[in-house]
Amino acid sequence: EQSDLILLGGGDRFRLWQTLGTDTGGNEVAEHVKWRYLQGAVVVAVGEAMSLLGQKSWYRSGKAGTVIPFKAWNIFPHVVASEEEGTDLEDLVEE
């Protein structure tokens, strides 16, 4: 609750959502990070963890790579994801 710098490490996007996602009934860690951000803390997300900071993101499921959207923390008013260049992120989430 007193951190001025918060570092979110990378990893598998599904596991990050499963552990820190907010659309499965809330998450105290997410609420504390958002509260500290609004109080002036710096939030640094590395790799796949950056997908948690935007409005929404997704993970791929199964062998077919089905896109499963999820609600992110909404710290930044954008879709934040590490996808290959030229991928239309909005279309991908809307699938």
Side-chain angles (χ1 to χ4, degrees):
E1 290 185 10
Q2 299 176 3
S3 299
D4 291 325
L5 174 65
I6 300 168
L7 174 65
L8 300 168
D12 178 78
R13 199 177 305 179
F14 173 72
R15 298 227 26 219
L16 286 165
W17 167 79
Q18 204 174 30
T19 306
L20 300 171
T22 58
D23 57 353
T24 57
N27 182 299
E28 286 187 36
V29 172
E31 294 305 315
H32 285 293
V33 170
K34 288 192 284 186
W35 181 81
R36 285 302 303 141
Y37 173 75
L38 293 172
Q39 296 296 316
V42 174
V43 178
V44 177
V46 178
E48 294 294 333
M50 69 183 183
S51 68
L52 293 171
L53 301 182
Q55 290 178 330
K56 56 188 171 182
S57 192
W58 57 88
Y59 60 89
R60 294 189 182 272
S61 177
K63 292 180 182 177
T66 305
V67 175
I68 310 293
F70 64 85
K71 181 181 176 198
W73 295 358
N74 204 20
I75 290 177
F76 304 120
H78 306 287
V79 174
V80 181
S82 57
E83 295 295 327
E84 59 187 69
E85 191 174 336
T87 303
D88 187 335
L89 303 179
E90 285 292 336
D91 286 346
L92 188 60
V93 172
E94 298 300 323
E95 284 183 6

